[in-house]
Amino acid sequence: MASDPAEPGDRAEDARAVLALAPRPPVDIGRFTSEPLFGQPGIYPDGPPMAPAADPPMRDDAVVAGLARLLAALDVRVEVAIDDPRLTARAPDLAVRAALVLLGATVARAALDAFLAGDTATEHIAYGAPASPGRIIGHPDGAAPASGERVVNERYGAEHFALVAPSLAHDLLHDAVGAGQHEEAFLHAVLAMVHLQLLAAAPDLADLRTELARRQHSLAITLFNSRRPEDDRIRLIAPDGPGTIPGGAPALQSPDFWSIPFVGGPPVANPAPPALSEVLVALAAPEPVRDVPTTFDDALAHWFDEHHGRGWLSVRAQLRAGTALGLLDPDAGLRTWAGLADRS
């Protein structure tokens, strides 16, 4: 594992020990999905009912201020402004543009760059009704499968824009219609990585209990707990893993993230878009890598497990994200070290 030079000393080692403990049931299952939604069962069926945000959409000034706060917390310079003409031409809604700009401060930055350059299957995106009502982002109703038009489900028009950013990473890194299991598994993992980065930067996002928040939190917990026994490091493939949703629905339990059946049928290897190579380089940071995979297959997951470093999610950030979701119970000293107030 790559070293974490920004976090030396006993506190980082204490944090790794906490992160290596067997996954525990979350403090509050109300942060995660409960009843079936669009044919998909919830991971904690005893949780409260789910509903999308019902308030009016965020005002423009709140979107701009919220984006500035999150970018400052992520501490990554993004060259694209929310009013960049390249962006407004492709994403007319301010909240969607804010989510795209935010994506540029995450491990999926290359997806934003590819979108602006016209190198993604998605050419234009706005709020609307997707052909499949359960999709967060999908083709608009009535659009041809090969169309470059995409919509963010209008069901989530009042949700915080930061909750849309992870799904944008998933959408923009698709290369073709009809993705198979390997492609869907890895892109859902990237989605969860982006969400964990956002939770680490702004732990209060974990307190959002809306339907979209709970959908994104549910992927995040599954990736967070995908690891080998007594290991603090996230892995996609861990056949002896201690379980991804402790205390959750037994039928949905899996030892690791790669075991989750996102689509039916036998797995097939699909070519990955060029932007994925840049995402993989970012995941490996701070270590340089060569010969990154160019295909969605099992080898890609093994590559991630071998090469991903601490540049995308430091020990401190992993602790912050896990504590925010109520997955960990570190001592007060670690809370202070991670920059977290006590959370219930």
Side-chain angles (χ1 to χ4, degrees), residues 12 77 94 96 125 171 177 180 190-191 220 246 261 273 281 298 331 335:
R77 181 177 177 80
L94 184 72
V96 176
I125 188 164
D171 176 77
V177 176
V190 172
L191 183 162
V281 170
D298 281 331
D331 62 33
R335 290 177 188 272

Side-chain angles (χ1 to χ4, degrees), residues 6 58 79 90 182 253 322:
M58 295 178 69
E79 302 294 338
R90 292 176 175 274
H182 290 137
Q253 187 63 259

